[in-house]
Amino acid sequence: MKAKFSLQDIEQIKHRGSELETVKNQLESFKNGFPFVNLIAPAIIDNGIKVFTDIEVETYISHYNDSKADNCCMKFVPASGAATRMFKMLHESYNLLCANNDNYKILFEKEGFDSFGNFIENINKFAFYKELKSVLNDNKFEIDELIKQNNYLPILDFLLHEKGLNYANMPKAMISFHKYNEDYRKAIVEHLIEGIQYSNNKGNVNIHFTLSPEHIFMVDELLAVDKLKFENNLKFCLSHSIQKASTDTIAVDMENNPFRDKDGKLVFRPAGHGALIENLNEIDADIIFIKNIDNVVPDRLKETTILYKKALAGYLLSVQEVVFDYIETLDNSCFSERIIADMAHFANTVLNIPLPNAWNDIEIIEKVDWLYGKFNRPIRICGMVKNEGEPGGGPFWIEKNEEQSLQIIESSQINMNSKKQKEIFSNSTHFNPVDLVCGVKDYEGNKFNLTDYVDKETGFISVKSKDGRDLKAQELPGLWNGAMADWITLFIEVPAITFNPVKVVNDLLRNTHQ
């Protein structure tokens, strides 16, 4: 039975900036599910993943440095949402203490809470220790005495909640990540410092953050002060956007009927980072660097990251120059059989775009049309690190509609009940650290409409809850998964030191964050 929408429902949908047909399609996806991808093979070195030589790194860095003045560069940092997962263990510890009359022994007796002991033992090593100690002192507590007395409840209370640092409700952008002598630096400020080195156009450092509406004021307030510390002969050009309500997806109950709140209104939920393709689409820049908010390191370790960011950008420009020349040649009909053969070889060997099986038998005009369609697309250069057990997506060859392509694939997109698909997944050698450099304009300098290159058949469904009732939520194709599925995609191996995410609070105790 198809869902029926009232006039009030339709008005609510329109008010959000969405379309009724889009919502109906979302309901169909709940009923039918999303198809699994068809993995052909993992992308590995010399079969989908390129490794730069030292000379190539230097060459591409030089090319980027020489060309940077002619290209508008922008750093794009998804920084939305609260650091809920980061402090999940501490929040659970707080709840346990409250439920057990502040009996600290429960934390060391309960399975899975050994990380709490590690947190307390090393608490003075965290960059936020100074802030926490100060707020506790303001409230007549001495942190050292609390630890001696095994009185951990005030420590967690003032770290996590609104009476103190409120870290459980802060975005990762506003968490103090690194210490510098007596000072400390928030994650978002580390992105400013890093951006100076490669997102700098003639003294203007261009960085765009995606933020949640409730965090905009605090982030702007911080950056207004902190950017002044580093604006020596340069200017930070900072901007932000929020995930659009029009990209939210409708929620359904467990029978796939539209989920309604206590007032009878339809419930919509944010559709994941894939919705940020809309934000990315509105950025006017020639080269866009994409990096997650939690993947930053202290100054002493930034050099390799900066070198490879420039190398990836230089490689993008080198590839783009050839692609643009070829497209212009095709546009002007200045081609021959030999030139078409050169283009096909470049598409196959450099861009990793397999030629159709009947390539040698089709007419030249068909070859021209095929090449033009394959060349005239956005380009993304994706850094890949060797897989060392981190959860998340990786680079694979997949087949869809009788065409093979390189894609970043998450485990949720794979049919793990298939022995063959599971084996291909387990043979993957590299991991996606979200280290992208994107070219989003065509050879005439016009912006591509990035929403034209989304695979709308990708996404996933999860079970959540609201008001004590279960619901199903639907996420759009991930930003670097289905949302960029039809881009020219090139994978480059980058050093592991360039990937240092902070998923849980104790990750900040790793040497790369000390």
Side-chain angles (χ1 to χ4, degrees):
M1 182 183 294
K2 290 188 176 181
K4 294 182 179 179
F5 293 101
S6 67
L7 291 176
Q8 289 84 354
D9 293 337
I10 295 171
E11 187 61 33
Q12 181 187 353
I13 292 167
K14 287 182 178 179
H15 182 72
R16 300 179 63 82
S18 188
E19 300 287 339
L20 180 60
E21 195 61 32
T22 301
V23 173
K24 288 181 177 178
N25 289 338
Q26 291 167 5
L27 290 175
E28 286 301 309
S29 295
F30 277 115
K31 294 173 184 175
N32 301 326
F34 292 100
F36 291 118
V37 298
N38 181 23
L39 299 181
I40 300 300
I44 58 175
I45 292 173
D46 295 330
N47 185 26
I49 299 177
K50 177 180 174 63
V51 180
F52 289 155
T53 64
D54 292 343
I55 292 175
E56 284 177 318
V57 170
E58 291 178 11
T59 300
Y60 293 133
I61 289 173
S62 294
H63 187 41
Y64 177 65
N65 288 335
D66 293 343
S67 307
K68 189 168 59 171
D70 299 323
N71 292 279
C72 176
C73 307
M74 175 77 74
K75 184 177 183 181
F76 182 89
V77 184
S80 308
T84 308
R85 178 184 167 192
M86 183 175 172
F87 293 99
K88 182 173 182 287
M89 177 269 294
L90 296 183
H91 194 70
E92 291 174 347
S93 299
Y94 176 82
N95 289 339
L96 266 177
L97 287 171
C98 289
N100 289 274
N101 300 316
D102 202 11
N103 178 6
Y104 75 92
K105 292 181 180 178
I106 190 71
L107 294 175
F108 303 100
E109 294 170 354
K110 198 168 180 66
E111 186 178 350
F113 279 81
D114 51 337
S115 53
F116 178 79
N118 189 30
F119 171 80
I120 290 296
E121 185 179 344
N122 295 285
I123 195 167
N124 64 329
K125 295 181 181 178
F126 289 98
F128 53 73
Y129 175 76
K130 185 176 178 180
E131 298 168 273
L132 178 60
K133 185 176 181 179
S134 177
V135 75
L136 282 167
N137 287 346
D138 290 344
N139 288 273
K140 313 303 181 190
F141 291 106
E142 290 289 340
I143 192 167
D144 292 338
E145 285 302 312
L146 291 172
I147 292 173
K148 283 180 184 177
Q149 298 164 10
N150 300 313
N151 186 8
Y152 306 123
L153 204 54
I155 295 173
L156 295 175
D157 199 10
F158 282 93
L159 174 65
L160 299 174
H161 302 136
E162 196 170 352
K163 63 167 66 176
L165 302 184
N166 201 25
Y167 268 16
N169 301 303
M170 287 283 182
K172 278 187 182 178
M174 294 294 289
I175 305 299
S176 296
F177 267 36
H178 304 133
K179 288 193 293 186
Y180 294 88
N181 296 322
E182 294 302 310
D183 201 1
Y184 50 84
R185 200 178 285 170
K186 306 285 185 184
I188 199 167
V189 179
E190 292 287 20
H191 279 279
L192 265 61
I193 311 310
E194 191 182 289
I196 290 172
Q197 303 300 319
Y198 58 80
S199 186
N200 185 341
N201 283 99
K202 300 174 182 177
N204 293 321
V205 182
N206 305 305
I207 308 179
H208 183 92
F209 301 98
T210 64
L211 300 170
S212 298
E214 64 270 23
H215 300 144
I216 289 173
F217 178 77
M218 69 173 71
V219 170
D220 282 350
E221 196 173 42
L222 172 77
L223 293 180
V225 174
D226 278 33
K227 71 178 184 178
L228 298 177
K229 302 175 185 177
F230 309 102
E231 282 190 330
N232 300 317
N233 301 316
L234 57 84
K235 179 183 178 183
F236 284 107
C237 301
L238 308 178
S239 58
H240 66 252
S241 60
I242 62 173
Q243 194 165 306
K244 296 181 179 180
S246 60
T247 65
D248 292 353
T249 52
I250 193 169
V252 299
D253 61 22
M254 303 311 287
E255 283 73 46
N256 296 321
N257 299 308
F259 190 96
R260 297 178 183 275
D261 63 18
K262 58 181 183 294
D263 297 321
K265 289 186 176 182
L266 299 171
V267 171
F268 290 83
R269 293 179 56 86
H273 62 71
L276 297 180
I277 196 70
E278 299 272 359
N279 304 62
L280 191 66
N281 200 35
E282 293 182 353
I283 289 179
D284 188 11
D286 300 301
I287 300 172
I288 302 175
F289 299 88
I290 301 179
K291 190 177 186 184
N292 277 343
I293 187 66
D294 64 348
N295 185 17
V296 284
V297 289
D299 290 348
R300 65 183 177 85
L301 296 175
K302 282 188 173 69
E303 183 179 5
T304 303
T305 291
I306 291 161
L307 289 177
Y308 267 82
K309 274 284 190 288
K310 290 182 175 182
L312 295 180
Y315 185 61
L316 168 69
L317 290 170
S318 298
V319 169
Q320 211 172 44
E321 286 161 9
V322 179
V323 169
F324 285 176
D325 280 346
Y326 282 157
I327 295 174
E328 190 169 14
T329 298
L330 295 174
D331 247 354
N332 295 327
S333 299
C334 299
F335 52 81
S336 62
E337 288 278 5
R338 184 186 62 77
I339 292 173
I340 294 300
D342 288 344
M343 291 183 182
H345 181 73
F346 178 80
N348 189 220
T349 60
V350 177
L351 302 186
N352 289 305
I353 302 173
L355 302 177
N357 291 330
W359 180 256
N360 293 326
D361 300 323
I362 62 178
E363 298 292 327
I364 190 169
I365 193 63
E366 292 180 78
K367 293 179 179 179
V368 167
D369 288 344
W370 186 87
L371 287 168
Y372 194 93
K374 294 302 181 184
F375 288 153
N376 195 37
R377 297 183 291 164
I379 303 174
R380 57 174 176 163
I381 311 297
C382 310
M384 291 289 156
V385 296
K386 288 182 179 176
N387 198 335
E388 296 179 352
E390 294 282 356
F396 291 90
W397 287 98
I398 75 157
E399 183 175 58
K400 184 171 183 177
N401 299 327
E402 299 183 350
E403 285 195 351
Q404 293 184 11
S405 65
L406 287 173
Q407 301 289 342
I408 298 171
I409 301 297
E410 302 283 346
S411 58
S412 60
Q413 297 176 265
I414 300 166
N415 181 8
M416 292 300 186
N417 291 322
S418 164
K419 183 179 179 181
K420 181 180 178 181
Q421 293 290 291
K422 188 175 181 180
E423 183 178 358
I424 293 172
F425 180 74
S426 64
N427 287 334
S428 176
T429 58
H430 287 70
F431 173 82
N432 168 39
V434 189
D435 186 0
L436 283 74
V437 187
C438 306
V440 295
K441 292 186 178 180
D442 65 19
Y443 83 100
E444 294 180 317
N446 301 310
K447 285 168 55 182
F448 288 107
N449 179 9
L450 302 184
T451 60
D452 290 341
Y453 301 88
V454 175
D455 181 357
K456 296 180 179 177
E457 292 184 0
T458 59
F460 66 90
I461 294 165
S462 57
V463 176
K464 306 287 185 181
S465 65
K466 180 177 174 62
D467 301 330
R469 294 182 290 149
D470 286 341
L471 60 77
K472 292 182 186 179
Q474 185 177 141
E475 291 206 11
L476 293 174
L479 182 58
W480 35 86
N481 308 110
M484 295 180 172
D486 199 24
W487 292 38
I488 294 174
T489 298
L490 299 172
F491 295 141
I492 309 296
E493 184 179 85
V494 295
I497 190 62
T498 64
F499 181 55
N500 299 280
V502 178
K503 300 305 179 187
V504 296
V505 65
N506 283 0
D507 285 344
L508 288 172
L509 295 174
R510 293 178 179 179
N511 182 56
T512 50
H513 292 289
Q514 289 293 306

